[in-house]
């Protein structure tokens, strides 16, 4: 199936009243929901009542969005401290499901949802699927993992809300994924971008790309670049869309990009976004990079006030070419907690991905960063897969390629790196969130 061109793309809205709402009307809606939510958490969540009392803040002090800066932040550490059910705003018997992510302490970061929260989650994902050009007639192959991880369940709920066929494959067994994708006539699929590229390359290697009926993919759960999106699209002849979410706020479906790929539209009627300076907490202007913060305006089970996501981005409130007035967050440059400071330079994995994809050949965009400390100095080694067509036993050619990669990465990162070329498909490709960095330093 040929890729649909931008000129022939039919913009679709699932809820045009919300997606194209004027700024003043949206601000009024958000303010009403914020005032109600602040009173709700003060009355029903001891954690928030204590936090507000500590700074002498009462619910009646919050009159609308203009007062949101008075409210305290919530952090992932706060979630861990109140694990598992300390942040509930409803009795436990009202919780319909829980979702979670792995934590650095061994305990999960757990989020709780009421039946209404689950319905809102599905509706938001359905908005994103509609933005990706999908309808009730589509067949959506879901190869995100199912379970406490929100990816599989989120896309499943969205497909149900859309009325589309959900194909719940979960992750793993790539050959079986491709067989079912072809046999069931899947028209779209969802998974992490790194696994999407892996599937695309596997389909190309198996010679089945032209037999697939795919027209779109919805990929998220890890940062990726426009260059990677273009590579997936070029191999499979589809349109690929970025989807963002986090289980603490809701799963995938907090924001999705449209066909113009000029940022991800945030469903701000449910999730109010702020971008702040991560060091000072001060608000950033549109276009200024900072840390993304969310307030859940209508969540019942575990509402969060000014939750610091640690994701680094910027926001744009101008109307998009697609007609939506929803603000757009830009693709993430990284996270405040996966940024590595190496010899005084801030390094993000996405910088490496962009540099490798810019080379145009010789290496694949599958890589691993290993940070060590030798003689009190930081050393960055980048493991890079050599492309099949360039792989050779001739040491001279490999040495030339390694030197070229090292030069490109030095220019991109601003520091010299060691490059280790490895065989194709030798770096494990994650079917969940790709682990890109191993930091062996004792910091």
């Amino acid at each position: 199936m040929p890729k649909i061109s931008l000129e022939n793309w039919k913009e679709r809205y699932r809820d045009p009243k919300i997606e194209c709402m004027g700024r003043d009307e949206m601000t009024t809606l958000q303010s009403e929901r914020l005032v109600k939510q602040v009173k709700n958490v003060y009355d029903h969540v001891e954690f928030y009542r204590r936090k507000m009392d500590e700074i002498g803040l009462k619910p009646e002090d919050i009159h609308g969005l203009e007062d949101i800066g008075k409210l305290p932040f919530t952090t992932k550490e706060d979630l861990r401290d109140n694990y598992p059910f300390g942040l509930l705003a409803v009795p436990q018997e009202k919780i319909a499901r829980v979702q979670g992510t792995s934590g650095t302490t061994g305990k999960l970061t757990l989020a709780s949802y009421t039946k209404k929260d689950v319905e809102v989650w599905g509706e938001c994902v359905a908005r994103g699927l509609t933005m990706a050009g999908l309808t009730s007639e589509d067949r959506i192959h879901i190869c995100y993992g199912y379970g406490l991880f929100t990816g599989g369940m989120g896309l499943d709920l969205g497909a149900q809300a859309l009325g589309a066929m959900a194909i719940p494959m979960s992750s793993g067994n790539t050959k079986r994924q491709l067989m079912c994708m072809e046999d069931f006539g899947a028209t779209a699929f969802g998974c992490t971008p790194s696994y999407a590229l892996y599937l695309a390359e596997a389909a190309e290697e198996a010679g089945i790309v032209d037999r697939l009926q795919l027209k779109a993919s919805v990929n998220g759960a890890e940062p990726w670049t426009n260059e990677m999106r273009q590579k997936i699209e070029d191999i499979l002849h589809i349109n690929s869309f970025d989807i963002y979410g986090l289980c603490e706020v809701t799963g995938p479906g907090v924001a999705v990009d449209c066909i113009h790929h000029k940022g991800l539209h945030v469903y701000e009627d449910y999730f109010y976004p702020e971008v702040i300076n991560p060091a000072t907490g001060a608000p950033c202007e549109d276009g200024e990079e900072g840390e993304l913060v969310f307030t859940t305006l209508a969540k019942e089970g575990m509402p969060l006030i000014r939750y610091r996501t640690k994701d680094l981005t910027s926001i744009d409130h101008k109307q998009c070419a697609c007609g939506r007035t929803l603000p757009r967050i830009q693709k993430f440059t990284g996270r405040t907690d996966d940024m590595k400071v190496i010899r005084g330079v801030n390094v993000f994995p996405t910088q490496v991905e962009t540099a490798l994809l810019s080379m145009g050949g010789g290496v694949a965009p599958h890589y691993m960063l290993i940070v060590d400390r030798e003689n009190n100095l930081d050393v960055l080694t980048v493991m890079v897969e050599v492309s099949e067509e360039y792989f050779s036993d001739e040491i001279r050619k490999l040495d030339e390629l390694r030197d070229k990669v090292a030069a490109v990465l030095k220019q991109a990162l601003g520091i010299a790196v060691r490059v280790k070329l490895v065989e194709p498909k030798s770096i494990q490709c994650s079917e969940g969130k790709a682990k890109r960095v191993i930091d062996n330093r004792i910091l």
Side-chain angles (χ1 to χ4, degrees), residues 17-19 21-31 65 268-270 325-327:
K17 180 181 178 181
I18 291 293
E19 295 176 68
M21 184 176 282
R23 179 53 41 199
D24 290 344
E25 190 177 359
M26 178 60 76
T27 299
T28 298
L29 173 63
Q30 292 170 321
S31 292
L65 283 184
E268 62 173 340
D269 53 323
Y270 290 117
T325 54
L326 299 170

Side-chain angles (χ1 to χ4, degrees), residues 43 85 96 118 124 230 290 302 311 323 333 360:
D43 290 344
F85 299 117
V118 174
C124 288
Q230 190 67 56
M302 200 182 88
D311 288 317
T333 56

Side-chain angles (χ1 to χ4, degrees), residues 49-280:
R49 183 164 57 251
R50 185 175 66 252
K51 291 267 282 191
M52 291 174 64
D53 285 346
E54 286 173 356
I55 59 175
L57 186 69
K58 298 297 182 184
E60 52 267 28
D61 297 325
I62 305 301
H63 304 286
L65 283 184
E66 67 275 12
D67 296 321
I68 197 167
K70 299 176 182 178
L71 292 163
F73 290 113
T74 308
T75 66
K76 182 163 284 192
E77 289 70 30
D78 293 328
L79 270 62
R80 292 182 183 130
D81 290 344
N82 289 277
Y83 172 90
F85 299 117
L87 294 179
L88 294 188
V90 298
Q92 284 192 38
E93 55 266 28
K94 295 289 187 181
I95 297 301
R97 70 179 304 107
V98 294
Q99 301 285 161
T101 60
S102 58
T104 57
T105 62
K107 293 288 189 180
L108 294 169
T109 299
L110 195 70
S112 301
Y113 301 71
T114 65
K115 184 174 182 294
K116 179 65 175 177
D117 294 335
V118 174
E119 291 172 356
V120 168
W121 182 11
E123 173 60 26
C124 288
V125 177
R127 288 183 189 177
L129 297 177
T130 302
M131 199 183 299
L134 305 181
T135 71
S136 59
E137 297 178 359
D138 281 289
R139 304 175 183 189
I140 305 173
H141 181 105
I142 303 167
C143 38
Y144 285 108
Y146 280 70
L148 284 173
F149 174 62
T150 57
M153 184 54 63
L155 267 289
D156 202 302
L157 291 169
Q160 291 181 48
L162 188 64
M165 178 193 293
I167 305 173
M169 293 300 299
S170 195
S171 58
N173 199 335
T174 299
K175 288 184 179 179
R176 188 166 179 263
Q177 297 276 2
L178 294 175
M179 179 189 74
C180 292
M181 200 176 282
E182 179 182 358
D183 292 349
F184 301 167
T187 57
F189 71 99
C191 62
T192 61
S194 57
Y195 192 53
L197 180 56
Y198 187 81
L199 279 170
E201 292 173 337
E204 185 177 47
E205 186 176 314
I208 67 167
V209 171
D210 292 339
R211 302 206 301 265
L212 299 176
Q213 298 180 43
L214 297 172
K215 62 181 179 183
S217 68
V218 180
N219 309 117
E222 62 189 20
W224 55 311
T225 59
N226 283 319
E227 290 86 352
M228 179 175 275
R229 174 179 61 79
Q230 190 67 56
K231 193 170 183 68
I232 294 167
E233 291 185 345
D234 289 346
I235 294 173
L236 294 176
H237 315 302
I238 62 172
N239 295 96
S240 295
F241 298 85
D242 198 349
I243 188 168
Y244 171 74
L246 56 168
C247 81
E248 303 95 301
V249 175
T250 195
V254 173
V256 185
D257 72 342
C258 69
I259 191 63
H260 298 279
H261 302 298
K262 298 296 184 181
L264 286 75
H265 293 276
V266 180
Y267 298 128
E268 62 173 340
D269 53 323
Y270 290 117
F271 318 110
Y272 180 71
E274 300 174 78
V275 176
I276 64 165
N277 182 310
T280 67

Side-chain angles (χ1 to χ4, degrees), residues 40-50 86-89 303:
N40 176 45
V41 299
Y42 187 86
D43 290 344
H44 298 107
V45 185
E46 181 184 352
F47 166 78
Y48 281 117
R49 183 164 57 251
R50 185 175 66 252
L87 294 179
L88 294 188

